[in-house]
Amino acid sequence: MRERCLALPEVTEGLTHGAPTWFVRGRRSFAKFIDPPDHRFDESHVALWAAAPPGARRELAAADPTRFFGPPFGGADWVGLRLDVEPGGPDWEVVREILTDAYRRIAPPTFVALLDEQPRS
């Protein structure tokens, strides 16, 4: 997750509420990794919290409530993805898509254009 986030244009990492959080230009967060023992919010699962397009959280949680949920951070346009519920670990393609969508929601258009120029990893 860290590698994917830091590969995005102008992304930095910092700690917020005890959790690794990724920011665009150090100002606006777009994703957070939650490890329950280290995090100050009441979260019982290892998870990714990320900015999401309007309505995505509702759709994802309705389609698969064992993996997706509304985190207590970021408002209605953030989605949580549990990383510890699938045998063998999370679907990393889904994680990549959520991170990329989150970045697109927060980053300025000039950075999104840079993202569109990058080869897909």
Side-chain angles (χ1 to χ4, degrees):
M1 190 174 329
R2 175 174 282 125
E3 183 179 320
R4 176 65 188 158
C5 288
L6 293 175
L8 297 166
E10 298 286 331
V11 169
T12 58
E13 180 178 330
L15 284 178
T16 60
H17 301 96
T21 305
W22 293 277
F23 302 85
V24 178
R25 277 216 167 147
R27 293 185 300 228
R28 295 193 62 204
S29 64
F30 69 95
K32 177 185 282 287
F33 173 74
I34 305 301
D35 187 7
D38 297 333
H39 200 259
R40 294 182 191 157
F41 286 118
D42 184 25
E43 179 60 58
S44 58
H45 293 277
V46 175
L48 162 65
W49 295 355
R57 172 168 101 179
R58 183 177 49 253
E59 290 173 19
L60 290 168
D64 191 350
T66 61
R67 288 193 319 163
F68 296 99
F69 63 98
F73 176 87
D77 288 338
W78 276 61
V79 65
L81 169 62
R82 292 183 178 106
L83 301 173
D84 59 356
V85 295
E86 296 179 65
D91 181 335
W92 289 106
E93 180 61 22
V94 171
V95 171
R96 187 197 64 75
E97 289 176 19
I98 287 174
L99 290 173
T100 302
D101 286 348
Y103 179 85
R104 288 178 184 281
R105 290 284 302 150
I106 300 302
T110 53
F111 294 169
V112 173
L114 293 172
L115 177 67
D116 291 339
E117 294 171 5
Q118 290 181 344
R120 187 172 167 196
S121 55

